[in-house]
Amino acid sequence: DFSFGASGVLYRGGKKVQAVRGVTVAGNFLKLLERVDGVADDLTFYGSTGAPSLSVKNITVGGV
């Protein structure tokens, strides 16, 4: 299980809704991986760790 702060862009129904900052994403990591339905080609490195943008279906975000 995990809980962490995040910022980014909120999409609903495939449409950009708003920029978000200071939101909380929490849940079970394995279930989150099962819900990934898109991976972008924008690999970005933060120090020595890299990650692309992900699209995750049916995720609950707090603080929006």
Side-chain angles (χ1 to χ4, degrees):
D1 293 334
F2 67 91
S3 175
F4 59 86
S7 63
V9 179
L10 177 65
Y11 286 81
R12 284 195 182 118
K15 295 183 180 182
K16 189 176 184 178
V17 176
Q18 70 187 56
V20 294
R21 178 180 286 180
V23 298
T24 302
V25 180
N28 178 277
F29 187 68
L30 294 177
K31 288 183 182 179
L32 176 98
L33 291 177
E34 291 173 354
R35 294 178 177 159
V36 172
D37 63 352
V39 180
D41 62 357
D42 64 347
L43 178 63
T44 304
F45 281 86
Y46 304 92
S48 61
T49 302
S53 296
L54 299 175
S55 173
V56 181
K57 61 185 172 186
N58 298 322
I59 188 169
T60 301
V61 179
V64 177

